[in-house]
Amino acid sequence: MPAFQDFGPWSDRRKAELNQKRKKNFIIFGSIALILIISFSIAVVFIIMNMTQKKCSRPVTSTNSSTSSDAAGKALPSTTSIKTVCSKTDYRYLCEKVLKESVGDSKNKSSDPKALIGFSIDAISSELEKVQNKSKLIKSTDPLVSGAVDDCDELFVYAMEDLQRAKQTVDEKDLNQLQNQTHELKNWLSAVVSDQMTCVEGFPQGESKERMRKEVETSRKHTSNALAIVDQMVSLISSFEINDLGFQHRLTEQSSESIENDQLIVTDTGDILPSWVPEEDRRILKERKEKEIEPNVVVAQDGSGKFKTITEALAAMPTIYVGRYVIYVKTGVYDESPIVTKRMENVTMYGDGSKKTTVTGKKNAVDGTRTFQTATFVAVGDRFMAISMGFVNTAGAKKHQAVALRVQSDRSLFLNCLMDGYQDTLYAQSHRQFYRTCVIKGTIDFIFGDAAAVFQNCKITVLRPLDNQKNIVTSHGRSDRRESTGYVLHACKIFPDAKFLPDTRTKIKTYLGRPWQKYARTVIMESSIDGFIDPEGYLPWNGDFGLKSLYYAEYGNDGEGASMGNRVKWPGVRAIKKSKAEEFTVAAFIQGGEWIKDMHVHSPVRLGLYNK
């Protein structure tokens, strides 16, 4: 019911007054409403303009109308995106040129960080394909040259496979997941750098080598740029204002507490295992200890196994096999050159002892074999593991380069093994590798290559070289400063062979390393270095090559040869602190906490430093 009402009939005057009042009120209220609506609209427009201005406060270097959208849906000019991505590369002009062309040619015109990483990998693949075709045009009657061309063809196949894995990862992962794959991407791209460098180094000095070096130059620069882009992935995402990913960068999933303590467990068979070894693997190791494990195949020279040679056993391996394929090689000297090919993944090969089960060969450089092909044993397939075996090249010091073991296998592991030779004994070529309680013998550059490899609790035994030679333990081949590669000698013992001992202090000098490539990286930590090591520690490769860019670090070593007081005064030779040394542990440097637990290890593994 209304609060007020008229009683009785309305007069005409009264009706007119009411109508006039209603019209007046309508005009007043209508005007007020219109003013409020206009004011509200102006306020909304002002707020939107202010927010847009803040979001677009980043300086724009181009008026290019082409745009890209990041993960949060914000539009960014593609030229700006490309300049941001290429800003930290060593070859900016080439980076910008390739990415601009790629964005222009792509169907979706996308230039967000994820797409640009993919384009940079595509550029390497495209260029490598051209190089591979051009390399086949190098003709020569010199077998070393024609052989080097064949090696390059093989190496480019490996490189293309690693690029394919990297590209597939970029395509399948979102930005949050992709950041967690930084180590994998750098591992694959570093191997591509290594493959290109190995190709060039395989040629003898002369015109053909320089020609190959020039052919590879552009693809090498593309690979360097891709490494730089991946290396700055986290900061790139931040600069593109993609900050809702909830990502926290970690070197490893292993907690700092478990890395320090390793949480070792003593089994009922006496083996010491990290606590992260699954129960099933402990059972397998127990069976291995008791000689009751049933391998897939047995190799025995006396005919008691399915095969008499390792090569035959590998050739018979199924094309598709789920799980680990185990090959038991009985006591014997196997004079052959087995190759664990790229397709042979997850192979475990074990013997009766590093001096009982021995693979031997004598291929060498002096007799006309290229260093890349001199290896007695080659491991390429991922996740290869060797236990209690010996790999020997018997060519001797006079035959110069003669490899006993060449390893390209990613996430490979060698336990209680022997690598025995003289010059170039162990070719730790590429990808991530772990050596535990191994014996490595040699003279010149006898641990060389471009892998990310950790040698833990190994005996590094220096033999007597020829009278006119010097000994060098390591020679690392890192040729790009962003490669994730290097050699780490952790808790090792570096000492002379007994037959060499009388000549160590007077006639023949021994050094810890020399730089095979410009950015060589070697870290020696918590190791025992005998006094036969020259006080200068390191030797130049050729003049001042690499002396300003190499990285040779030492931490927590002992022994007469551990003093750094008289080390060479190159910028990259340094004593490092514990915090820096932790970057080169098994867990951090080769992400060992993420994959060694999946291997059938039967030896203690130290993920962190021994010195607490």
Side-chain angles (χ1 to χ4, degrees):
M1 179 180 291
F4 303 98
Q5 59 177 306
D6 291 321
F7 295 92
W10 289 4
S11 64
D12 291 338
R13 182 179 177 181
R14 178 61 174 164
K15 289 180 180 180
E17 287 177 352
L18 288 173
N19 287 333
Q20 185 69 23
K21 189 173 182 180
R22 285 171 182 160
K23 289 179 180 180
K24 187 175 181 179
N25 289 342
F26 178 80
I27 292 172
I28 293 172
F29 288 118
S31 299
I32 293 172
L34 182 60
I35 291 170
L36 290 173
I37 291 171
I38 292 172
S39 299
F40 179 77
S41 299
I42 292 172
V44 169
V45 171
F46 177 79
I47 291 170
I48 292 173
M49 289 178 66
N50 188 48
M51 290 175 66
T52 303
Q53 184 178 1
K54 288 181 178 179
K55 289 183 179 182
C56 297
S57 59
R58 188 190 300 107
V60 178
T61 57
S62 171
T63 57
N64 192 324
S65 60
S66 176
T67 61
S68 65
S69 297
D70 63 17
K74 296 183 271 293
L76 296 170
S78 62
T79 302
T80 302
S81 304
I82 291 169
K83 285 186 177 293
T84 300
V85 166
C86 294
S87 62
K88 298 296 178 64
T89 61
D90 290 344
Y91 309 99
R92 290 179 60 181
Y93 171 77
L94 183 63
C95 177
E96 292 179 11
K97 178 177 180 293
V98 167
L99 294 187
K100 285 177 183 177
E101 292 173 354
S102 299
V103 170
D105 292 340
S106 66
K107 294 180 180 180
N108 58 12
K109 307 295 181 185
S110 176
S111 58
D112 61 41
K114 184 174 179 291
L116 294 180
I117 293 170
F119 291 147
S120 69
I121 294 172
D122 287 338
I124 308 169
S125 300
S126 177
E127 192 62 33
L128 265 183
E129 188 175 353
K130 296 176 186 176
V131 174
Q132 189 172 21
N133 292 332
K134 289 181 180 179
S135 69
K136 294 176 182 179
L137 300 177
I138 299 177
K139 305 295 182 181
S140 176
T141 56
D142 184 345
L144 291 178
V145 173
S146 58
V149 172
D150 292 338
D151 290 345
C152 286
D153 193 46
E154 179 182 346
L155 287 159
F156 290 154
V157 170
Y158 295 141
M160 294 296 279
E161 290 177 350
D162 277 333
L163 288 171
Q164 185 178 9
R165 290 196 286 186
K167 185 59 164 56
Q168 184 176 355
T169 299
V170 172
D171 290 343
E172 293 179 354
K173 306 292 184 181
D174 60 33
L175 279 171
N176 185 25
Q177 296 169 324
L178 197 58
Q179 291 178 96
N180 285 302
Q181 297 296 311
T182 299
H183 286 303
E184 301 301 318
L185 293 173
K186 292 189 68 175
N187 167 55
W188 293 323
L189 291 172
S190 296
V192 173
V193 174
S194 175
D195 290 334
Q196 295 172 80
M197 181 270 292
T198 304
C199 163
V200 174
E201 292 297 326
F203 284 85
Q205 292 296 333
E207 181 182 349
S208 59
K209 184 170 189 173
E210 292 310 308
R211 179 178 174 183
M212 195 68 240
R213 193 189 306 278
K214 290 179 181 178
E215 296 292 357
V216 170
E217 185 65 11
T218 301
S219 63
R220 184 191 67 78
K221 289 179 178 179
H222 282 316
T223 314
S224 175
N225 284 344
L227 269 169
I229 293 170
V230 171
D231 199 38
Q232 59 171 333
M233 190 183 301
V234 176
S235 59
L236 266 179
I237 301 257
S238 176
S239 69
F240 277 74
E241 295 185 0
I242 304 172
N243 48 22
D244 297 325
L245 300 175
F247 170 73
Q248 184 176 0
H249 184 61
R250 293 181 177 90
L251 287 175
T252 174
E253 296 297 323
Q254 192 80 11
S255 70
S256 59
E257 180 180 358
S258 61
I259 288 175
E260 285 188 1
N261 296 333
D262 283 338
Q263 298 177 339
L264 299 179
I265 294 175
V266 179
T267 69
D268 55 4
T269 60
D271 287 324
I272 303 176
L273 305 174
S275 61
W276 38 251
V277 176
E279 183 63 34
E280 181 181 358
D281 282 359
R282 291 179 199 158
R283 176 185 58 77
I284 292 175
L285 296 178
K286 177 181 178 181
E287 293 171 349
R288 167 75 179 93
K289 186 79 173 182
E290 297 171 352
K291 304 291 185 182
E292 294 176 356
I293 184 172
E294 184 177 348
N296 295 84
V297 294
V298 175
V299 178
Q301 288 181 329
D302 61 8
S304 60
K306 186 174 183 180
F307 302 101
K308 289 187 176 182
T309 70
I310 299 170
T311 302
E312 290 173 333
L314 288 170
M317 181 178 172
T319 303
I320 299 176
Y321 185 83
V322 178
R324 285 216 149 257
Y325 192 79
V326 182
I327 301 174
Y328 169 37
V329 185
K330 288 188 175 183
T331 298
V333 178
Y334 296 82
D335 188 359
E336 54 177 309
S337 300
I339 300 176
V340 181
T341 66
K342 189 70 174 177
R343 74 169 184 85
M344 300 174 185
E345 298 185 351
N346 296 308
V347 172
T348 293
M349 192 176 295
Y350 70 90
D352 289 322
S354 62
K355 293 183 179 180
K356 292 181 179 180
T357 300
T358 304
V359 189
T360 186
K362 56 182 179 181
K363 291 184 290 185
N364 61 85
V366 170
D367 290 342
T369 304
R370 303 175 307 283
T371 303
F372 183 71
Q373 300 291 354
T374 61
T376 298
F377 191 101
V378 177
V380 181
D382 288 349
R383 296 175 295 279
F384 174 76
M385 181 167 63
I387 305 171
S388 301
M389 293 185 65
F391 307 96
V392 181
N393 192 310
T394 61
K398 292 182 179 180
K399 297 295 185 177
H400 298 292
Q401 294 93 338
V403 176
L405 173 67
R406 175 163 65 85
V407 184
Q408 291 173 256
S409 170
D410 188 27
R411 302 189 179 201
S412 53
L413 195 154
F414 294 81
L415 299 173
N416 304 328
C417 288
L418 167 67
M419 298 83 181
D420 191 357
Y422 283 84
Q423 184 171 346
D424 293 358
T425 302
L426 173 58
Y427 192 173
Q429 184 179 342
S430 59
H431 294 111
R432 291 163 294 190
Q433 306 174 16
F434 180 54
Y435 299 80
R436 170 80 191 192
T437 55
C438 292
V439 176
I440 306 168
K441 298 182 178 183
T443 55
I444 302 171
D445 306 330
F446 65 95
I447 302 175
F448 78 109
D450 189 24
V454 176
F455 303 86
Q456 190 175 87
N457 285 83
C458 293
K459 292 182 178 180
I460 312 298
T461 309
V462 181
L463 304 179
R464 192 189 192 285
L466 300 177
D467 289 342
N468 62 343
Q469 293 179 328
K470 297 180 178 69
N471 284 326
I472 305 99
V473 176
T474 67
S475 185
H476 194 251
R478 185 167 170 251
S479 59
D480 188 280
R481 63 192 177 98
R482 292 187 178 87
E483 284 185 77
S484 57
T485 62
Y487 290 155
V488 179
L489 276 58
H490 183 205
C492 292
K493 183 179 180 182
I494 305 171
F495 63 98
D497 179 70
K499 294 180 180 179
F500 176 40
L501 189 60
D503 298 322
T504 55
R505 296 190 181 271
T506 55
K507 297 180 180 179
I508 299 170
K509 292 186 176 182
T510 300
Y511 299 86
L512 295 170
R514 64 173 177 168
W516 183 23
Q517 296 298 326
K518 187 176 180 180
Y519 296 97
R521 179 162 61 179
T522 300
V523 178
I524 303 174
M525 56 190 195
E526 297 185 318
S527 294
S528 175
I529 305 176
D530 196 90
F532 78 114
I533 294 295
D534 190 275
E536 290 193 342
Y538 305 94
L539 188 70
W541 180 270
N542 184 16
D544 62 356
F545 173 76
L547 302 190
K548 295 182 180 179
S549 50
L550 57 75
Y551 185 89
Y552 287 149
E554 300 180 41
Y555 167 77
N557 300 312
D558 59 28
E560 292 182 24
S563 173
M564 297 195 69
N566 293 315
R567 291 287 192 258
V568 289
K569 305 305 179 185
W570 306 336
V573 176
R574 65 195 68 187
I576 56 176
K577 296 181 179 179
K578 181 180 179 181
S579 58
K580 187 66 177 178
E582 287 172 341
E583 296 179 14
F584 297 99
T585 58
V586 171
F589 191 57
I590 57 173
Q591 299 80 58
E594 300 173 12
W595 57 273
I596 295 177
K597 63 185 177 182
D598 296 324
M599 312 284 269
H600 299 165
V601 292
H602 65 286
S603 175
V605 176
R606 196 76 177 185
L607 294 178
L609 295 170
Y610 284 90
N611 178 18
K612 304 301 183 183

